[in-house]
Amino acid sequence: MIGFQPYETFQLLIETGGVERANTLLVAACDAYARRSRPLAAEAEQFEALAKRLFPTAAPTARTKAAGILASAQHLTPQLEILVYDHLGTGLIAHIERAPSLSDDVMMRLIEKGNADVIAAIARRPALSNAILARLFPVNSRKVYRALAANGSMAPRGAYLNALTRSAEMDHEVAAILARREDFDAALLTGVFFDLPEEGRINVLRAYARRNLPQAPMMRTFEQISVATDEFTGALMKLFSENRRPKITRLLNQITGLDELRCAEIAHDTSGAALFVVLRAFGCTSYDGLKVLIHATSHDADRSKTLASFARLFDEVSVPAMVFMMSAWRGDVRPAELTRPEYARFAEPSRRTPEGKQVARTGTVGDQAIEALDRMKSTRKAG
């Protein structure tokens, strides 16, 4: 390609040749420009003027085809970028997701058009600038917030953290995505704990391990009634073994102060995560707590790995932490307080790090509890 003739020549061909000629010229011109590795400034200027005249004249199918070809060009001026994205049609979203780079100006103009699918595609792009993020977060769309929640290149902090947390309270899918993120404090999802999948609930519990927390108003009450832990766990084991969950609901309602609906959710939670909160808040150790959990949780699959996780949680999560969590369920405290520096997590353990292979148990409290539970399961199967 040596260069482009002034667009008046092409306009004459359009006027004398009709739409079909315009279609052919547009596709051919875009193909020639896309093949040009580094067009000169004069060539880019001439082609931009030509494209502005040809695109409105050509048929819709030709516009889409030409825009798809032109999108592959390595050097596009801002005006040419706009022409491409205005005419890509159904291929726009795929191109936004695959394009190596997009200028902030183009992204801003696409956001202003208000198409939620297009804006969500922009929200999925890596390395978004603060200007673009500031424009994305006010968009009232679940699609956009789900894309932002899943965008690992955006660090959730400050105003963005608050916005994502509020969105999680309104959209369970956003909550589930955030619960899986290593750089998000899952304790902030305490208010939507019962809407999370099992893995998300466990991650919320892990977020409470070994950290300072505000004093919960219920703490003194739980200190006074924790002396009856043996009777409490014994009653729960009996009721769960008999599958009398309505009775468990009433018992939890009487001793926790939570409303009956919430207590019913705890009683029917076969993952055991919600029941763990109650057991640990009452001061249960891993030995006593796991005996209740094995009766309460689902037996449809091998639960040994899950029970081992609970054993570690009994050792790592403090009683005041679970009292705080229950207080949040009651509305007495706000999990948002945990964003303050004095309540930050001490460490950020990687959830991608594989757990060590199981070795011979050494006799810790958690190991003894698991061994006892293994014997109990064998006895129940034999019976």
Side-chain angles (χ1 to χ4, degrees):
M1 182 178 73
I2 299 175
F4 290 100
Q5 298 298 319
Y7 63 75
E8 286 83 359
T9 303
F10 290 93
Q11 183 64 21
L12 179 63
L13 289 171
I14 295 167
E15 293 172 352
T16 58
V19 175
E20 288 300 324
R21 181 67 61 84
N23 295 344
T24 303
L25 289 172
L26 176 61
V27 173
C30 289
D31 182 63
Y33 188 83
R35 292 174 184 273
R36 185 73 165 171
S37 60
R38 186 177 292 276
L40 300 174
E43 292 175 336
E45 183 180 350
Q46 289 172 2
F47 176 74
E48 184 178 307
L50 169 65
K52 287 180 180 179
R53 300 291 292 268
L54 284 174
F55 265 105
T57 308
T61 54
R63 296 178 204 170
T64 302
K65 182 178 180 180
I69 295 171
L70 190 57
S72 64
Q74 297 181 6
H75 303 281
L76 291 176
T77 65
Q79 288 300 318
L80 289 176
E81 280 188 301
I82 294 299
L83 279 174
V84 167
Y85 295 119
D86 281 345
H87 296 96
L88 269 176
T90 56
L92 174 59
I93 293 175
H95 182 73
I96 290 173
E97 294 174 340
R98 293 196 305 262
S101 63
L102 287 181
S103 67
D104 280 10
D105 181 58
V106 167
M107 286 191 281
M108 286 289 192
R109 292 186 62 168
L110 291 173
I111 292 170
E112 289 171 2
K113 290 180 180 292
N115 186 311
D117 292 321
V118 172
I119 299 173
I122 294 173
R124 287 190 289 270
R125 288 188 59 81
L128 294 170
S129 68
N130 284 330
I132 296 299
L133 288 173
R135 186 65 186 84
L136 287 172
F137 271 95
V139 177
N140 186 17
S141 168
R142 291 191 175 192
K143 291 180 181 179
V144 174
Y145 267 86
R146 289 170 184 174
L148 289 169
N151 191 334
S153 67
M154 184 207 67
R157 59 172 65 99
Y160 301 151
L161 173 63
N162 295 334
L164 287 172
T165 304
R166 288 195 302 271
S167 178
E169 296 171 355
M170 297 179 285
D171 187 347
H172 303 163
E173 188 170 330
V174 171
I177 293 170
L178 292 176
R180 294 193 295 267
R181 289 190 60 158
E182 297 176 9
D183 58 350
F184 185 85
D185 186 359
L188 298 175
L189 302 175
T190 297
V192 292
F193 180 85
F194 291 91
D195 299 320
L196 294 172
E198 181 174 343
E199 180 187 3
R201 296 183 184 191
I202 297 296
N203 289 338
V204 172
L205 297 178
R206 286 176 178 154
Y208 277 94
R210 301 191 179 98
R211 68 187 294 174
N212 293 323
L213 293 165
Q215 181 69 28
M218 294 173 64
M219 190 63 216
R220 181 165 297 181
T221 302
F222 274 88
E223 288 175 346
Q224 293 172 352
I225 62 178
S226 61
V227 294
T229 298
D230 292 340
E231 292 82 355
F232 176 55
T233 55
L236 286 177
M237 284 180 60
K238 177 177 174 59
L239 293 171
F240 275 119
S241 63
E242 297 173 357
N243 200 28
R244 300 172 63 186
R245 296 186 187 261
K247 178 70 174 177
I248 297 168
T249 298
R250 290 193 293 273
L251 175 62
L252 294 176
N253 177 247
Q254 292 170 0
I255 64 174
T256 65
L258 295 170
D259 62 78
E260 190 169 347
L261 180 61
R262 183 68 76 211
C263 292
E265 289 181 294
I266 297 171
H268 290 83
D269 174 26
T270 56
S271 75
L275 183 60
F276 169 86
V277 177
V278 177
L279 293 171
R280 191 64 181 127
F282 275 91
C284 288
T285 63
S286 59
Y287 185 81
D288 292 325
L290 289 175
K291 286 192 294 185
V292 178
L293 287 173
I294 197 172
H295 286 83
T297 56
S298 171
H299 298 286
D300 296 337
D302 182 12
R303 302 283 294 176
S304 57
K305 184 178 179 181
T306 303
L307 291 172
S309 297
F310 280 125
R312 284 188 289 274
L313 286 170
F314 272 109
D315 292 334
E316 295 173 356
V317 177
S318 67
V319 172
M322 294 298 91
V323 174
F324 177 89
M325 194 167 179
M326 287 187 63
S327 298
W329 291 346
R330 282 167 47 114
D332 297 335
V333 296
R334 295 174 60 251
E337 294 182 63
L338 301 180
T339 58
R340 294 165 59 180
E342 61 266 36
Y343 303 132
R345 286 179 287 181
F346 292 123
E348 301 287 343
S350 174
R351 296 179 194 148
R352 295 178 182 173
T353 303
E355 295 180 357
K357 295 182 179 179
Q358 290 187 352
V359 296
R361 290 167 181 158
T362 58
T364 64
V365 174
D367 294 335
Q368 293 173 13
I370 295 174
E371 289 174 353
L373 293 172
D374 290 340
R375 292 195 296 271
M376 290 173 62
K377 287 195 289 185
S378 300
T379 303
R380 291 174 64 185
K381 289 179 180 178

